[in-house]
């Protein structure tokens, strides 16, 4: 068990998307350490399986699939509900890299539409007491304009979607988002050492990238009973980077 405890009930079920790497992997492993059973979902099956293999046996179930594929999403969640239990928690973390070469509409569908697809499929089964969902948004959706038009737009849209859910679906579940700054995951490999990375880190009061665990802890806190009265919030986790600009 983890020395951290946010008050989750033993064996409750959490679905984490993008669980094969970075923030999603860290969230899966910390949740498993806190006693949850976790569905580790990733486009890349072997990556999800690798995450599951890092956890205590039997606690993490790997699933391969695209979060934008609505029929596949529904089928997997129904199978999880019948073999484990209806997932009480959902961490919508998967999303394409801002460096991805996507047309505007395709980027919005991949980064924002997929969260709607996953959330609706989960909400059809969840709704037990204390149910909660969380989204990995970005400071790119709240404060920073990225080179990619669809990335900033989709991340801002996620904050709007969370506010909608918080206002209109709170009879079933709470909804919140985390807006990370720069996080040390494979998609930022080499960036911290680059000239642009060094310039950015020099303006960050903590002088470092976030670790995936820094973001995982914020995601899990917002999902947990410890955050039972937090609903509709976008929590910036960026070391103070954006408040010092
Ligand atoms: N790394 C950062 O600096 C940073 C900053 C702000 C926000 N974010 C957000 O955090 C989230 C996770 O990013 P990360 O840095 O951990 O990335 P990562 O590349 O380390 O991991 C992302 C994982 O998501 C999976 N994935 C991508 N599209 C998917 C899909 N359609 N269906 C299922 N799985 C899919 C990938 O296969 C990969 O394993 C993303 O939403 C990203 O936009 C990251």
């Amino acid at each position: 068990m983890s020395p951290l405890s946010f008050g989750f009930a033993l064996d409750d079920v959490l679905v984490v998307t993008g669980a094969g790497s970075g923030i999603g992997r860290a969230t899966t492993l910390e949740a498993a350490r806190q006693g949850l059973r976790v569905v580790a979902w990733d486009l890349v099956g072997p990556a999800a399986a690798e995450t599951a293999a890092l956890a205590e046996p039997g606690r993490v179930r790997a699933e391969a699939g695209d979060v934008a594929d609505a029929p596949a999403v529904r089928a997997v969640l129904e199978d999880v509900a019948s073999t484990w239990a209806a997932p009480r928690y959902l961490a919508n973390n998967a999303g394409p890299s801002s460096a991805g070469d996507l047309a505007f509409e395709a980027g919005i569908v991949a980064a924002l539409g997929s969260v709607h697809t996953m959330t609706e499929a989960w909400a059809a089964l969840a709704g037990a007491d204390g149910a909660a969902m969380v989204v990995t948004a970005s400071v790119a959706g709240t404060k920073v304009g990225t080179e990619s038009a669809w990335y900033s737009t989709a991340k801002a849209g996620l904050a709007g979607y969370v506010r909608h859910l918080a206002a209109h679906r709170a009879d079933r579940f709470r909804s919140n988002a985390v807006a990370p700054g720069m996080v040390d995951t494979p998609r930022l490999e080499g960036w911290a050492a680059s000239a642009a990375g060094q310039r950015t880190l020099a303006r960050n009061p903590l002088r470092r990238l976030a670790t995936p665990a820094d973001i995982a802890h914020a995601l899990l806190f917002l999902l947990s009973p410890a955050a039972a009265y937090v609903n509709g919030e976008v929590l910036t986790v960026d070391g103070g980077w954006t408040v010092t600009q």
Side-chain angles (χ1 to χ4, degrees), residues 18-26 42 47-48 51 93 185-187:
S21 177
I23 296 166
R25 174 171 286 179
D42 205 282
T51 298
N93 169 73
T185 70
R187 67 178 60 177

Side-chain angles (χ1 to χ4, degrees), residues 125-180:
L125 299 170
D129 280 350
M133 64 83 80
V134 72
V135 177
T136 310
S138 173
V139 293
T142 53
K143 296 185 177 128
V144 177
T146 53
E147 194 177 338
S148 154
W150 61 262
Y151 190 80
S152 279
T153 308
K155 292 299 191 185
L158 287 174
Y161 182 48
V162 158
R163 286 191 284 270
H164 158 76
L165 293 172
H168 295 283
R169 305 286 283 279
D171 56 328
R172 306 280 313 285
F173 55 91
R174 291 182 300 105
S175 304
N176 292 289
V178 171

